[in-house]
PDB file of all heavy atoms in Angstrom:
ATOM      1  N   LEU B 168      94.175  89.463 105.929  1.00 96.00           N
ATOM      2  CA  LEU B 168      95.238  88.655 105.324  1.00 96.00           C
ATOM      3  C   LEU B 168      94.655  87.437 104.615  1.00 96.00           C
ATOM      4  O   LEU B 168      95.131  87.033 103.560  1.00 96.00           O
ATOM      5  CB  LEU B 168      96.255  88.218 106.381  1.00 96.00           C
ATOM      6  CG  LEU B 168      97.047  89.356 107.032  1.00 96.00           C
ATOM      7  CD1 LEU B 168      98.214  88.801 107.831  1.00 96.00           C
ATOM      8  CD2 LEU B 168      97.562  90.343 105.997  1.00 96.00           C
ATOM      9  N   GLU B 169      93.595  86.866 105.200  1.00 95.00           N
ATOM     10  CA  GLU B 169      92.988  85.695 104.559  1.00 95.00           C
ATOM     11  C   GLU B 169      92.358  86.052 103.223  1.00 95.00           C
ATOM     12  O   GLU B 169      92.562  85.384 102.220  1.00 95.00           O
ATOM     13  CB  GLU B 169      91.936  85.077 105.484  1.00 95.00           C
ATOM     14  CG  GLU B 169      92.547  84.149 106.497  1.00 95.00           C
ATOM     15  CD  GLU B 169      91.506  83.554 107.430  1.00 95.00           C
ATOM     16  OE1 GLU B 169      90.342  84.003 107.412  1.00 95.00           O
ATOM     17  OE2 GLU B 169      91.866  82.645 108.181  1.00 95.00           O
ATOM     18  N   VAL B 170      91.592  87.140 103.234  1.00 95.00           N
ATOM     19  CA  VAL B 170      90.839  87.479 102.033  1.00 95.00           C
ATOM     20  C   VAL B 170      91.762  88.031 100.944  1.00 95.00           C
ATOM     21  O   VAL B 170      91.414  88.046  99.767  1.00 95.00           O
ATOM     22  CB  VAL B 170      89.693  88.456 102.373  1.00 95.00           C
ATOM     23  CG1 VAL B 170      90.195  89.886 102.417  1.00 95.00           C
ATOM     24  CG2 VAL B 170      88.557  88.316 101.386  1.00 95.00           C
ATOM     25  N   SER B 171      92.960  88.446 101.329  1.00 93.00           N
ATOM     26  CA  SER B 171      93.909  88.964 100.329  1.00 93.00           C
ATOM     27  C   SER B 171      94.293  87.883  99.330  1.00 93.00           C
ATOM     28  O   SER B 171      94.709  88.188  98.219  1.00 93.00           O
ATOM     29  CB  SER B 171      95.173  89.472 101.023  1.00 93.00           C
ATOM     30  OG  SER B 171      95.956  88.383 101.468  1.00 93.00           O
ATOM     31  N   GLY B 172      94.169  86.607  99.740  1.00 90.00           N
ATOM     32  CA  GLY B 172      94.567  85.519  98.856  1.00 90.00           C
ATOM     33  C   GLY B 172      96.072  85.309  98.858  1.00 90.00           C
ATOM     34  O   GLY B 172      96.562  84.363  98.271  1.00 90.00           O
ATOM     35  N   LEU B 173      96.816  86.200  99.522  1.00 91.00           N
ATOM     36  CA  LEU B 173      98.274  86.090  99.527  1.00 91.00           C
ATOM     37  C   LEU B 173      98.759  85.176 100.635  1.00 91.00           C
ATOM     38  O   LEU B 173      99.828  84.594 100.550  1.00 91.00           O
ATOM     39  CB  LEU B 173      98.907  87.473  99.729  1.00 91.00           C
ATOM     40  CG  LEU B 173      98.673  88.507  98.651  1.00 91.00           C
ATOM     41  CD1 LEU B 173      99.144  89.868  99.128  1.00 91.00           C
ATOM     42  CD2 LEU B 173      99.417  88.112  97.395  1.00 91.00           C
ATOM     43  N   PHE B 174      97.969  85.086 101.695  1.00 93.00           N
ATOM     44  CA  PHE B 174      98.424  84.369 102.875  1.00 93.00           C
ATOM     45  C   PHE B 174      97.477  83.242 103.256  1.00 93.00           C
ATOM     46  O   PHE B 174      96.284  83.312 103.006  1.00 93.00           O
ATOM     47  CB  PHE B 174      98.514  85.331 104.071  1.00 93.00           C
ATOM     48  CG  PHE B 174      99.369  86.527 103.810  1.00 93.00           C
ATOM     49  CD1 PHE B 174      98.805  87.720 103.390  1.00 93.00           C
ATOM     50  CD2 PHE B 174     100.736  86.455 103.963  1.00 93.00           C
ATOM     51  CE1 PHE B 174      99.593  88.834 103.133  1.00 93.00           C
ATOM     52  CE2 PHE B 174     101.528  87.556 103.717  1.00 93.00           C
ATOM     53  CZ  PHE B 174     100.955  88.747 103.302  1.00 93.00           C
ATOM     54  N   GLU B 175      98.057  82.248 103.901  1.00 93.00           N
ATOM     55  CA  GLU B 175      97.248  81.259 104.584  1.00 93.00           C
ATOM     56  C   GLU B 175      97.503  81.508 106.060  1.00 93.00           C
ATOM     57  O   GLU B 175      98.601  81.254 106.559  1.00 93.00           O
ATOM     58  CB  GLU B 175      97.698  79.852 104.185  1.00 93.00           C
ATOM     59  CG  GLU B 175      96.895  78.768 104.846  1.00 93.00           C
ATOM     60  CD  GLU B 175      97.683  77.481 104.984  1.00 93.00           C
ATOM     61  OE1 GLU B 175      98.611  77.253 104.182  1.00 93.00           O
ATOM     62  OE2 GLU B 175      97.388  76.736 105.921  1.00 93.00           O
ATOM     63  N   VAL B 176      96.496  82.068 106.724  1.00 95.00           N
ATOM     64  CA  VAL B 176      96.685  82.394 108.134  1.00 95.00           C
ATOM     65  C   VAL B 176      96.479  81.121 108.950  1.00 95.00           C
ATOM     66  O   VAL B 176      95.412  80.514 108.915  1.00 95.00           O
ATOM     67  CB  VAL B 176      95.709  83.500 108.573  1.00 95.00           C
ATOM     68  CG1 VAL B 176      95.942  83.851 110.029  1.00 95.00           C
ATOM     69  CG2 VAL B 176      95.885  84.733 107.700  1.00 95.00           C
ATOM     70  N   ILE B 177      97.504  80.726 109.660  1.00 94.00           N
ATOM     71  CA  ILE B 177      97.445  79.471 110.409  1.00 94.00           C
ATOM     72  C   ILE B 177      96.550  79.652 111.629  1.00 94.00           C
ATOM     73  O   ILE B 177      96.649  80.645 112.355  1.00 94.00           O
ATOM     74  CB  ILE B 177      98.864  79.034 110.811  1.00 94.00           C
ATOM     75  CG1 ILE B 177      99.642  78.695 109.544  1.00 94.00           C
ATOM     76  CG2 ILE B 177      98.827  77.846 111.750  1.00 94.00           C
ATOM     77  CD1 ILE B 177     101.104  78.585 109.744  1.00 94.00           C
ATOM     78  N   SER B 178      95.667  78.687 111.818  1.00 90.00           N
ATOM     79  CA  SER B 178      94.680  78.772 112.882  1.00 90.00           C
ATOM     80  C   SER B 178      95.360  78.887 114.244  1.00 90.00           C
ATOM     81  O   SER B 178      96.310  78.198 114.558  1.00 90.00           O
ATOM     82  CB  SER B 178      93.787  77.539 112.852  1.00 90.00           C
ATOM     83  OG  SER B 178      93.061  77.460 114.059  1.00 90.00           O
ATOM     84  N   ARG B 179      94.789  79.769 115.032  1.00 89.00           N
ATOM     85  CA  ARG B 179      95.330  80.005 116.370  1.00 89.00           C
ATOM     86  C   ARG B 179      95.234  78.745 117.218  1.00 89.00           C
ATOM     87  O   ARG B 179      96.027  78.529 118.123  1.00 89.00           O
ATOM     88  CB  ARG B 179      94.485  81.113 116.983  1.00 89.00           C
ATOM     89  CG  ARG B 179      95.094  81.851 118.111  1.00 89.00           C
ATOM     90  CD  ARG B 179      94.205  83.070 118.321  1.00 89.00           C
ATOM     91  NE  ARG B 179      94.468  83.723 119.576  1.00 89.00           N
ATOM     92  CZ  ARG B 179      93.883  84.871 119.905  1.00 89.00           C
ATOM     93  NH1 ARG B 179      93.017  85.424 119.071  1.00 89.00           N
ATOM     94  NH2 ARG B 179      94.140  85.441 121.057  1.00 89.00           N
ATOM     95  N   LYS B 180      94.233  77.920 116.907  1.00 88.00           N
ATOM     96  CA  LYS B 180      94.035  76.700 117.703  1.00 88.00           C
ATOM     97  C   LYS B 180      95.193  75.739 117.534  1.00 88.00           C
ATOM     98  O   LYS B 180      95.420  74.874 118.367  1.00 88.00           O
ATOM     99  CB  LYS B 180      92.739  76.012 117.263  1.00 88.00           C
ATOM    100  CG  LYS B 180      91.509  76.760 117.702  1.00 88.00           C
ATOM    101  CD  LYS B 180      90.258  76.072 117.158  1.00 88.00           C
ATOM    102  CE  LYS B 180      89.081  77.021 117.156  1.00 88.00           C
ATOM    103  NZ  LYS B 180      88.219  76.815 115.996  1.00 88.00           N
ATOM    104  N   ALA B 181      95.909  75.867 116.405  1.00 87.00           N
ATOM    105  CA  ALA B 181      96.997  74.933 116.140  1.00 87.00           C
ATOM    106  C   ALA B 181      98.275  75.324 116.874  1.00 87.00           C
ATOM    107  O   ALA B 181      99.206  74.537 116.947  1.00 87.00           O
ATOM    108  CB  ALA B 181      97.272  74.889 114.637  1.00 87.00           C
ATOM    109  N   PHE B 182      98.293  76.553 117.415  1.00 87.00           N
ATOM    110  CA  PHE B 182      99.559  77.047 117.971  1.00 87.00           C
ATOM    111  C   PHE B 182     100.060  76.186 119.116  1.00 87.00           C
ATOM    112  O   PHE B 182      99.308  75.743 119.975  1.00 87.00           O
ATOM    113  CB  PHE B 182      99.398  78.487 118.476  1.00 87.00           C
ATOM    114  CG  PHE B 182      99.261  79.479 117.370  1.00 87.00           C
ATOM    115  CD1 PHE B 182      98.983  80.803 117.649  1.00 87.00           C
ATOM    116  CD2 PHE B 182      99.407  79.100 116.044  1.00 87.00           C
ATOM    117  CE1 PHE B 182      98.841  81.732 116.643  1.00 87.00           C
ATOM    118  CE2 PHE B 182      99.275  80.016 115.028  1.00 87.00           C
ATOM    119  CZ  PHE B 182      98.983  81.339 115.329  1.00 87.00           C
ATOM    120  N   LEU B 183     101.357  75.970 119.145  1.00 84.00           N
ATOM    121  CA  LEU B 183     101.994  75.218 120.215  1.00 84.00           C
ATOM    122  C   LEU B 183     102.802  76.158 121.103  1.00 84.00           C
ATOM    123  O   LEU B 183     103.265  75.783 122.161  1.00 84.00           O
ATOM    124  CB  LEU B 183     102.933  74.165 119.619  1.00 84.00           C
ATOM    125  CG  LEU B 183     102.280  73.225 118.595  1.00 84.00           C
ATOM    126  CD1 LEU B 183     103.343  72.440 117.851  1.00 84.00           C
ATOM    127  CD2 LEU B 183     101.315  72.293 119.287  1.00 84.00           C
ATOM    128  N   ALA B 184     102.987  77.391 120.625  1.00 79.00           N
ATOM    129  CA  ALA B 184     103.853  78.309 121.361  1.00 79.00           C
ATOM    130  C   ALA B 184     103.149  78.832 122.606  1.00 79.00           C
ATOM    131  O   ALA B 184     101.920  78.853 122.694  1.00 79.00           O
ATOM    132  CB  ALA B 184     104.249  79.465 120.463  1.00 79.00           C
ATOM    133  N   ASP B 185     103.941  79.247 123.544  1.00 83.00           N
ATOM    134  CA  ASP B 185     103.458  79.833 124.783  1.00 83.00           C
ATOM    135  C   ASP B 185     102.775  81.158 124.457  1.00 83.00           C
ATOM    136  O   ASP B 185     103.360  82.031 123.825  1.00 83.00           O
ATOM    137  CB  ASP B 185     104.673  80.072 125.694  1.00 83.00           C
ATOM    138  CG  ASP B 185     104.256  80.621 127.040  1.00 83.00           C
ATOM    139  OD1 ASP B 185     103.064  80.961 127.199  1.00 83.00           O
ATOM    140  OD2 ASP B 185     105.122  80.706 127.926  1.00 83.00           O
ATOM    141  N   PRO B 186     101.510  81.336 124.857  1.00 79.00           N
ATOM    142  CA  PRO B 186     100.820  82.588 124.528  1.00 79.00           C
ATOM    143  C   PRO B 186     101.492  83.815 125.155  1.00 79.00           C
ATOM    144  O   PRO B 186     101.229  84.935 124.738  1.00 79.00           O
ATOM    145  CB  PRO B 186      99.406  82.373 125.070  1.00 79.00           C
ATOM    146  CG  PRO B 186      99.461  81.177 125.942  1.00 79.00           C
ATOM    147  CD  PRO B 186     100.646  80.381 125.544  1.00 79.00           C
ATOM    148  N   ARG B 187     102.332  83.581 126.151  1.00 85.00           N
ATOM    149  CA  ARG B 187     102.988  84.738 126.772  1.00 85.00           C
ATOM    150  C   ARG B 187     104.366  85.006 126.171  1.00 85.00           C
ATOM    151  O   ARG B 187     105.157  85.774 126.706  1.00 85.00           O
ATOM    152  CB  ARG B 187     103.107  84.510 128.282  1.00 85.00           C
ATOM    153  CG  ARG B 187     101.788  84.669 129.019  1.00 85.00           C
ATOM    154  CD  ARG B 187     101.857  83.997 130.364  1.00 85.00           C
ATOM    155  NE  ARG B 187     102.239  82.587 130.205  1.00 85.00           N
ATOM    156  CZ  ARG B 187     102.602  81.795 131.205  1.00 85.00           C
ATOM    157  NH1 ARG B 187     102.672  82.252 132.425  1.00 85.00           N
ATOM    158  NH2 ARG B 187     102.919  80.522 130.980  1.00 85.00           N
TER     159      ARG B 187
END
Side-chain angles (χ1 to χ4, degrees):
Chain B
L168 295 192
E169 277 179 350
V170 83
S171 74
L173 296 170
F174 305 96
E175 181 207 334
V176 181
I177 294 166
S178 166
R179 201 168 166 174
K180 288 176 200 143
F182 288 174
L183 306 167
D185 183 352
R187 286 161 304 168

